[in-house]
Amino acid sequence: EVDEHNSINAPSLAENRFFFTEDVDAYGVSNDLFYSRNIVQPLFAFKITDSNGNYNLGFLSTKDNDENADVYNILAFKPKWNNASVQLSYLNRMNENYQSHVFHINPSWQINTHQWIWFELNISHNYSAENWLSKQPVNNGYFGKLGYGAVFDDFFVRLKMQKISKDFDPKMGYVNLTGFSQFNAMIWKETELKNKIFNKMESSYFGNVELEKETDKLLNQYQNFGIDFSTNFDLGISANISQGREFYAESYFNQNMHSLGFKQTSLGFLQVHMTFTNGERILYSLSKMCQFKTLQFGVFGDVSKFASYSISADKTRYLNLVKSENIDDEYWVGNLDISLNLSNNLSLKNGIRYDDFEYAGIVKHFGFFSNFHYQMNNNVDIYLGYKTSTNEIENRSIADYKTVFLKVG
C-alpha cells in the first residue's frame, strides 16, 4: 500500500501478477509504453522470451476479458555487441473500434568502462476503425530521450533530456503529461570517513526542470539535496532538503520539504528505519498549499534462514486543513509481509495492506494476498495465489474483489 492520495495523476500500481513480471525486461520498454495494469482480466495470454550474450527476444499477446475485448501485442528484439546494443520494440493495442501502434528504438553505447550514452525514440500512431482502412491516423506523436552517464569509484553523474509531443498517446502505456520538454541531472558522491563515529558519507543532488514545449513556460522545477552517514555502530542517518515550484490551476506554487531519517541494522532479525518529513506542498484537489507532517516507520528482518518479515506504517497529518468529504486531514497507510522458504524449491509469501484514508463514505481499506511457489525442476514452476480487497463503508465491510490464480511456467 502506497500513499498516493495527493497525486496529480491517476495512481500507478505495481504489477504483482507473475505472468507479467517474469522476464519483463525482454520487452525493453518502461511503464510509459507498456503498463500491464491496463490489462484487467486476461481471457488468454501467451508469451515467448529468450536471452543470451548476443540478443534478447520477447513476444507477448493477450486479450482482455472486458467489455472492449482489447488485444495487446508486443514484439521486441535487442541485438547486443561488446560495447553497444539497440532495443527495437513494437507495441499494438486494438479492438473493433480503434488500433494503436507504437514503434520504439533505443540504441546505447558504452564509451569506456566509466561512461555511456543512450538515445530513445518512440513514435505513436492511432487509428479509428474508419481511418484504419484509409491508413490515415487520427494522430501521430513522438517521445524522445537523450542521456549520458558516468560512474567512477566514488562518483556518479547522470544527465537526461527528453521531449514529448502533445499528440503522443501510447494506448498500452502510462503517460499523464504530454507537450513538454524536460531536463534533469543527478550527482552522487561517496566519501570515506575515518573517525570514531562515522565511516562513510554519501551526498547527492537531483535537479529537474519541465517547460511547456510550444511556449517554454515553466511547468515544474524541483531540486533535492541529500546526505547519508554510515556509523561504526550499524546506524545510518539521512537528511534531505527539497524545493520546488509548480504551475497548477493557472497559478504557481512554491513547495519546500525537509526530512530526517534513521536506520539500525545491527540485529539481523530486528532492523528498524524511521523517517520524519514536514513542509508545505500542494493539495491538488483543493488547489492550495498546505503544511504537513509525515512519520514513516518500519521493522524488518530474517527470523531464520527459512523466514523473513517486513512491517511498515506511515502516518500523514495536515496542519491547516479542515476535514471534508474528499480530503482526510490525518490517516495511516500500513503493510505487513511474511515470507517462508519451506525448502529449496517451496516458498510461501503472505501480505496484509491497510489504509484508513476517509473519502466519499469509505472509512478503511483492507487487503490480503498469499502466493505459493513450487519449483518442480529447472524448467517447470507452479504458482498458486489468492488475493482479496475489502472496503469499510458506513460501518459495513464490502468486498471489492477476490481473485484466485494458478500458473504453470
Side-chain angles (χ1 to χ4, degrees):
E1 195 74 19
V2 179
D3 183 4
E4 294 186 297
H5 295 300
N6 186 44
S7 175
I8 191 174
N9 302 311
S12 174
L13 304 176
E15 181 60 84
N16 58 15
R17 293 172 292 183
F18 287 109
F19 181 86
F20 294 109
T21 59
E22 187 180 35
D23 298 330
V24 69
D25 293 341
Y27 312 128
V29 294
S30 64
N31 273 7
D32 292 339
L33 302 185
F34 177 48
Y35 179 55
S36 57
R37 283 293 189 178
N38 285 327
I39 307 169
V40 180
Q41 185 65 50
L43 183 64
F44 71 82
F46 174 78
K47 70 176 181 180
I48 298 174
T49 60
D50 188 23
S51 178
N52 58 38
N54 299 318
Y55 67 86
N56 292 346
L57 175 67
F59 173 75
L60 168 74
S61 183
T62 181
K63 184 176 183 178
D64 210 349
N65 189 23
D66 62 1
E67 59 182 12
N68 295 320
D70 282 12
V71 176
Y72 300 78
N73 299 297
I74 303 177
L75 179 62
F77 180 66
K78 182 180 181 179
K80 296 182 287 187
W81 300 274
N82 291 333
N83 59 350
S85 65
V86 179
Q87 177 68 55
L88 302 168
S89 303
Y90 164 71
L91 302 95
N92 163 246
R93 178 179 178 177
M94 61 183 178
N95 60 31
E96 62 181 10
N97 297 316
Y98 77 91
Q99 291 205 28
S100 174
H101 307 268
V102 174
F103 301 91
H104 165 85
I105 180 170
N106 176 207
S108 62
W109 176 45
Q110 186 170 348
I111 304 171
N112 51 45
T113 56
H114 302 292
Q115 302 177 82
W116 65 96
I117 58 174
W118 74 94
F119 169 74
E120 180 179 326
L121 179 62
N122 305 289
I123 304 293
S124 67
H125 299 281
N126 294 317
Y127 301 83
S128 65
E130 297 80 10
N131 292 77
W132 173 246
L133 296 176
S134 61
K135 303 299 181 183
Q136 295 295 320
V138 175
N139 59 54
N140 294 322
Y142 68 88
F143 187 9
K145 303 178 185 180
L146 178 65
Y148 165 81
V151 59
F152 301 94
D153 292 338
D154 58 359
F155 181 79
F156 169 79
V157 61
R158 188 196 67 192
L159 306 174
K160 186 171 75 170
M161 176 180 67
Q162 60 184 31
K163 184 174 290 188
I164 182 169
S165 70
K166 196 72 176 178
D167 293 330
F168 183 71
D169 186 14
K171 298 295 186 182
M172 288 181 67
Y174 180 85
V175 173
N176 292 297
L177 181 64
T178 59
F180 71 92
S181 300
Q182 184 184 62
F183 311 87
N184 62 54
M186 179 179 180
I187 301 172
W188 172 89
K189 190 177 188 314
E190 181 180 272
T191 305
E192 295 293 332
L193 303 176
K194 297 181 180 180
N195 57 58
K196 295 181 180 180
I197 300 177
F198 301 105
N199 56 50
K200 185 173 65 175
M201 179 184 72
E202 298 179 21
S203 52
S204 63
Y205 168 80
F206 177 79
N208 181 74
V209 175
E210 291 180 10
L211 304 174
E212 192 173 61
K213 181 175 175 292
E214 296 180 356
T215 64
D216 286 338
K217 180 175 68 176
L218 178 66
L219 299 177
N220 197 321
Q221 179 181 346
Y222 174 82
Q223 55 185 344
N224 176 271
F225 301 89
I227 189 167
D228 295 82
F229 290 97
S230 297
T231 71
N232 296 318
F233 317 108
D234 294 321
L235 175 68
I237 304 172
S238 62
N240 283 273
I241 299 174
S242 61
Q243 177 273 334
R245 180 174 173 84
E246 184 174 348
F247 184 76
Y248 179 74
E250 301 302 321
S251 300
Y252 280 103
F253 296 87
N254 295 318
Q255 304 184 80
N256 299 279
M257 290 175 278
H258 53 274
S259 66
L260 181 65
F262 303 91
K263 183 177 180 180
Q264 179 279 129
T265 59
S266 59
L267 301 176
F269 68 93
L270 184 62
Q271 303 182 55
V272 181
H273 66 85
M274 180 183 297
T275 303
F276 176 74
T277 305
N278 68 358
E280 286 186 304
R281 65 185 177 195
I282 307 173
L283 275 179
Y284 294 105
S285 60
L286 301 179
S287 301
K288 62 175 287 187
M289 294 294 296
C290 190
Q291 291 182 321
F292 76 98
K293 295 181 183 292
T294 299
L295 175 64
Q296 297 172 295
F297 176 79
V299 180
F300 60 98
D302 297 323
V303 179
S304 69
K305 65 179 182 179
F306 303 109
S308 63
Y309 71 96
S310 173
I311 303 172
S312 67
D314 302 351
K315 181 180 181 180
T316 298
R317 182 164 66 97
Y318 292 101
L319 305 183
N320 56 343
L321 178 67
V322 178
K323 187 174 181 178
S324 64
E325 181 180 356
N326 295 315
I327 295 294
D328 197 344
D329 62 339
E330 186 172 344
Y331 57 91
W332 286 89
V333 174
N335 299 278
L336 167 64
D337 292 279
I338 299 176
S339 298
L340 301 174
N341 295 314
L342 306 177
S343 68
N344 291 333
N345 56 357
L346 189 64
S347 63
L348 178 66
K349 183 174 182 179
N350 301 292
I352 296 175
R353 305 293 182 253
Y354 175 81
D355 188 339
D356 69 356
F357 184 90
E358 297 184 28
Y359 69 99
I362 298 178
V363 180
K364 294 178 183 177
H365 171 81
F366 177 84
F368 171 79
F369 73 89
S370 181
N371 293 327
F372 171 86
H373 174 214
Y374 174 60
Q375 184 177 12
M376 293 186 63
N377 52 51
N378 292 333
N379 299 316
V380 179
D381 291 89
I382 298 176
Y383 300 92
L384 178 63
Y386 171 78
K387 60 181 178 180
T388 182
S389 173
T390 303
N391 292 322
E392 184 177 324
I393 303 176
E394 298 177 352
N395 297 322
R396 293 184 301 125
S397 295
I398 300 176
D400 189 13
Y401 65 83
K402 294 181 180 180
T403 302
V404 178
F405 70 88
L406 172 66
K407 177 198 169 186
V408 179

